[in-house]
Amino acid sequence: MTLDSPRADFADPGLHARGLFIGGDWLPGGGIPVTNPSTAGVLAEVPDASVEDAMRAVDAAEAAAAGWRATPPRQRAEILRRWFGLMTDHAEDLARLISLENGKALPDARGEVAYAAEFFRWYAEEAVRIPGEFRHAPSGAHHILVDHDPIGIAVLITPWNFPAAMATRKIGPALAAGCTVILKPASETPLTAYAMARLGAEAGVPPGVVNVLTTTQPGPVVSAMLADPRVRKLSFTGSTGVGRTLLAEAAKTVVSCSMELGGNAPFLVFDDADLGAALDGAMIAKMRNAGEACTAANRFYVQAGIHDAFVAGLTARMAALVVGAGTDPATQVGPMITTKAVTKIDRLVSQAVARGARVTTGGAPLPGSGYFYPPTVIENVPEDAEIAHEEIFGPVAPVYRFETEEQAIRLANSTEYGLAAYVYSGDLSRALRVGKGIETGMVAINRGLMSDPAAPFGGAKQSGLGREGGVTGILEFMEPKYFAVNF
């Protein structure tokens, strides 16, 4: 399929989205402009859902729930497998759509589509392997039988930085478990979600099993859904601040919550690391999606003996990156999502410089109509600078010097967040020891990429609750049921 084909209108930014997707129907409407961050121009308008629309989505999810729950796991798996195939078939159009509404460079967008599709393939395979348990009670009085039931209707809230992958990482396990869902994508990047819904319907997802709505009133809309006793699950990816608010809302009706929240990932490089490999990993860990990722390396701690060489190498590589419109084939770094994001990045860098940090490349917003900030490296950053403690969410690499292993672990843990960390060392025992000492849910050792649909993704401390992906991801959408049995 190409952008010129009759069935490719969902990938054409000149066309409006077909409407809210509720109960298998497209409900027309408008009100939310979708902006191309590369140009600041409006791509399309999508519907602005009301509380009443949200309740219609809950009704649709409830109407479909019994039938989907009763659908044999093999059939659910085959639908997810077909959805994976359709995403793969339409990968280039989806990548272009993501690049248009998110701004990320096409290579990043293509990588996201491939990653996103894998969640459907993985959970197509997990749908037929839902675990159970049978054993004798220790007392010998009875047998213990444990089954797993779908938890119920799930509200899924996804961010703008990975509009395809964050949706599939939630939809895949929910559908595999037998749940029906309501997806609320970020209003900055909704076109991808509507495109995915179309592909899902084509794959055979029954009406009402997946519903999608966009809104400029996320507070009232989500609160209304969480207050409905039919909704039993909330899966959220976003900031820690919003996550705390949602947890408080969900507590009112004791809704089960999975929370993938903020990050402040340390990237540790020891003197015995392979410098070239560390720089390769740093570029991936920092510049994937131009730094707009919760797993992005946020603080580079480099041991004194290799520090200067690392800064020089990172500076050269960052300075060589091509910045431009996401859809330009030559672009390696696209724009930030909004002008507000650029302002925040500039504030963090400027404050660090004012406190004695030194910029080795970049360091100021780029002119033009889009929302561009250049790849930036800063060294000699004070530990108490705001940039050392706040998630940057942009293409800025602050580098800090450390002396000892103990100091590195202390610095890595000097944050309320605990999502991801990176460790580079030629001594695997040291790398594992340091990784064990860092308070995060995930650690990458001698590699700059850790996300994998087959692995449990999630964090510690203020970075969230629960896990997505892997064998454990499907259990987030299931309730264990225990039977005490005599026979």
Side-chain angles (χ1 to χ4, degrees):
M1 185 176 82
T2 69
L3 288 174
D4 299 320
S5 70
R7 292 172 57 232
D9 54 312
F10 73 79
D12 184 348
L15 297 177
H16 293 297
R18 294 175 61 182
L20 304 175
F21 187 64
I22 298 176
D25 295 325
W26 295 94
L27 309 181
I32 305 178
V34 182
T35 300
N36 181 346
S38 296
T39 65
V42 174
L43 293 166
E45 274 198 9
V46 295
D48 190 357
S50 64
V51 169
E52 291 73 23
D53 293 321
M55 290 301 96
R56 279 195 284 272
V58 174
D59 291 341
E62 182 192 30
W68 186 246
R69 179 189 181 112
T71 299
R74 177 64 70 194
Q75 288 181 230
R76 298 200 297 260
E78 288 171 354
I79 289 171
L80 287 170
R81 191 62 170 77
R82 286 196 294 271
W83 206 346
F84 161 79
L86 287 168
M87 284 191 67
T88 302
D89 292 344
H90 302 328
E92 191 61 25
D93 289 293
L94 288 170
R96 177 172 166 76
L97 183 61
I98 291 169
S99 188
L100 284 167
E101 66 173 347
N102 170 277
K104 68 177 63 178
L106 276 172
D108 267 346
R110 293 181 183 116
E112 180 185 345
V113 174
Y115 174 58
E118 280 296 326
F119 282 103
F120 285 154
R121 176 154 66 173
W122 173 260
Y123 283 108
E125 295 163 348
E126 289 301 300
V128 298
R129 290 197 287 268
I130 294 170
E133 183 182 341
F134 179 78
R135 59 188 171 89
H136 294 283
S139 67
H142 62 283
H143 292 81
I144 293 171
L145 175 66
V146 180
D147 195 11
H148 286 87
D149 287 340
I151 197 168
I153 296 173
V155 172
L156 315 177
I157 303 177
T158 55
W160 50 261
N161 58 335
F162 289 92
M166 297 302 96
T168 62
R169 195 162 75 183
K170 298 178 188 300
I171 295 171
L175 267 59
C179 298
T180 57
V181 305
I182 302 156
L183 172 67
K184 191 208 78 62
S187 57
E188 293 90 348
T189 56
L191 302 179
T192 302
Y194 286 121
M196 300 277 288
R198 289 186 60 180
L199 292 179
E202 187 175 340
V205 176
V209 171
V210 174
N211 307 276
V212 183
L213 54 85
T214 43
T215 182
T216 58
Q217 309 170 67
V221 163
V222 174
S223 293
M225 289 191 288
L226 294 181
D228 192 304
R230 296 171 294 177
V231 171
R232 299 311 311 143
K233 181 71 183 181
L234 169 64
S235 181
F236 170 76
T237 298
S239 72
T240 296
V242 174
R244 291 176 182 137
T245 300
L246 289 172
L247 282 168
E249 279 295 316
K252 297 175 184 176
T253 44
V254 197
V255 170
S256 171
C257 292
S258 298
M259 295 275 163
E260 197 266 284
L261 306 177
N264 189 5
F267 190 104
L268 276 58
V269 184
F270 287 88
D271 284 344
D272 59 6
D274 180 314
L275 178 60
L279 289 169
D280 289 343
M283 293 301 293
I284 296 169
K286 177 71 261 182
M287 295 307 294
R288 183 181 179 216
N289 198 35
E292 294 177 314
C294 56
T295 56
N298 211 53
R299 300 167 289 148
F300 289 84
Y301 296 115
V302 185
Q303 201 163 17
I306 203 172
H307 174 276
D308 291 352
F310 182 88
V311 170
L314 186 62
T315 298
R317 293 185 185 213
M318 293 279 273
L321 292 174
V322 177
V323 179
T327 52
D328 186 333
T331 292
Q332 295 171 292
V333 181
M336 301 298 95
I337 189 67
T338 61
T339 187
K340 181 179 177 182
V342 174
T343 300
K344 174 192 170 182
I345 295 166
D346 188 45
R347 173 179 59 79
L348 291 173
V349 172
S350 297
Q351 190 225 42
V353 170
R355 296 175 65 83
R358 184 177 76 91
V359 173
T360 62
T361 187
L366 297 176
S369 57
Y371 313 132
F372 293 96
Y373 197 92
T376 296
V377 178
I378 51 177
E379 63 172 343
N380 301 327
V381 182
E383 283 185 38
D384 61 351
E386 190 176 358
I387 200 170
H389 303 282
E390 185 167 341
E391 194 170 18
I392 301 167
F393 240 65
V396 177
V399 185
Y400 311 80
R401 187 189 305 263
F402 74 88
E403 299 289 343
T404 68
E405 184 177 310
E406 293 72 24
Q407 182 190 15
I409 294 172
R410 177 185 64 79
L411 289 168
N413 288 335
S414 62
T415 175
E416 66 176 353
Y417 300 105
L419 183 61
Y422 304 83
V423 180
Y424 271 79
S425 172
D427 181 344
L428 183 57
S429 295
R430 166 189 263 177
L432 289 169
R433 183 172 63 247
V434 170
K436 288 282 286 183
I438 299 175
E439 299 165 344
T440 58
M442 301 177 290
V443 180
I445 293 177
N446 292 331
R447 59 179 288 114
L449 182 65
M450 63 181 61
S451 300
D452 191 307
F457 186 104
K461 300 196 291 190
Q462 296 295 303
S463 287
L465 302 168
R467 293 296 184 268
E468 294 184 309
V471 175
T472 57
I474 196 170
L475 297 179
E476 295 282 334
F477 292 92
M478 307 201 82
E479 292 276 23
K481 179 178 285 187
Y482 155 57
F483 295 86
V485 182
N486 282 340
F487 58 87

